[in-house]
Amino acid sequence: MKQLFTALLMTIVLLPAYAQEAPPQDKFPKEKEEFLGELNAATKLLVQKKYSEAETALRTLRKKDITRSTWGKASFNLGFSLRMANKYLESIEVFQEIIASDVNDKEPSPNMMEHFMNYRHKSCWEISLNYELLEEYEKALHYMQQADSKHPFQDADLCGSCSARAKKSLEQRVQFLKSKATEKRTGDL
């Protein structure tokens, strides 16, 4: 009986810490099934490494009258597809569009390990990766610093260790890029 009481008390005490406030329904309008099907089909092409076909499907979808949420997902997948196809400058342009757009970084994520979509933070990472592949380390570093300062990772603070790991990963990448930028500057002299 004491164990049951303790478990019940722990649930009552801890439940508010785990509960997320549900966003208002009108904040994330429901997408038409037709467009969700197109997004899923394009994503399947991406997973199959059919980058050219995925690019075409995602560019076509982005031109339609879709919700901001679907636009954000389609745009992110397009940018990723372009990077995987070695179209780094085009990829950077798409991720810069995301950063400048009105996507909602706190849109609920379908991934149970991440609470929010974090479009801008993830776009900064992607731009940084593209610039690194172009060996433009100063620019890559700039976008990692933007990911930390201007577009920090949004979390519901449900997992302190997850946040700490994400922060450490970002800090390690910044240090790596600083060393690569210094190495390139001293090597270019």
Side-chain angles (χ1 to χ4, degrees):
M1 185 68 167
K2 185 177 180 183
Q3 291 174 333
L4 180 60
F5 177 74
T6 303
L8 182 58
L9 181 61
M10 293 294 287
T11 302
I12 292 169
V13 170
L14 295 177
L15 188 58
Y18 287 96
Q20 287 187 41
E21 185 176 319
Q25 288 302 317
D26 61 343
K27 191 170 186 177
F28 303 106
K30 190 155 175 71
E31 185 60 84
K32 294 177 185 172
E33 289 298 320
E34 165 193 357
F35 297 144
L36 291 176
E38 289 180 42
L39 178 61
N40 290 335
T43 302
K44 186 175 180 180
L45 291 169
L46 183 58
V47 170
Q48 294 170 344
K49 299 181 180 181
K50 296 179 179 179
Y51 303 125
S52 179
E53 293 173 53
E55 176 187 349
T56 300
L58 291 164
R59 285 190 189 280
T60 301
L61 178 59
R62 285 180 6 131
K63 292 177 184 174
K64 296 183 177 183
D65 186 25
I66 55 180
T67 63
R68 185 51 59 191
S69 173
T70 301
W71 182 89
K73 291 176 184 109
S75 297
F76 195 91
N77 287 354
L78 173 61
F80 181 81
S81 182
L82 290 165
R83 177 169 61 85
M84 297 308 292
N86 302 325
K87 296 179 178 181
Y88 307 125
L89 295 176
E90 289 179 60
S91 176
I92 289 167
E93 287 177 20
V94 171
F95 287 116
Q96 286 173 333
E97 282 180 45
I98 294 171
I99 291 171
S101 77
D102 62 348
V103 292
N104 187 337
D105 286 321
K106 288 193 172 184
E107 174 186 329
S109 171
N111 179 347
M112 67 183 256
M113 298 304 290
E114 293 183 10
H115 303 109
F116 305 122
M117 291 301 292
N118 282 294
Y119 291 109
R120 289 176 185 83
H121 179 81
K122 291 177 183 177
S123 292
C124 286
W125 272 83
E126 286 291 329
I127 292 170
S128 177
L129 289 169
N130 278 289
Y131 277 128
E132 179 185 352
L133 291 165
L134 291 167
E135 297 183 4
E136 294 187 37
Y137 302 112
E138 294 285 346
K139 290 180 181 178
L141 175 60
H142 169 77
Y143 277 94
M144 284 312 300
Q145 291 168 330
Q146 292 288 303
D148 187 32
S149 61
K150 192 171 181 183
H151 305 294
F153 186 78
Q154 302 293 316
D155 191 1
D157 291 329
L158 300 182
C159 177
S161 62
C162 295
S163 294
R165 277 195 302 269
K167 184 76 170 165
K168 184 176 181 178
S169 176
L170 189 141
E171 289 168 356
Q172 288 173 336
R173 180 152 174 77
V174 165
Q175 289 306 313
F176 166 76
L177 291 170
K178 281 181 179 179
S179 70
K180 293 298 277 183
T182 301
E183 191 178 293
K184 186 170 183 181
R185 270 194 314 272
T186 58
D188 287 347
L189 296 179

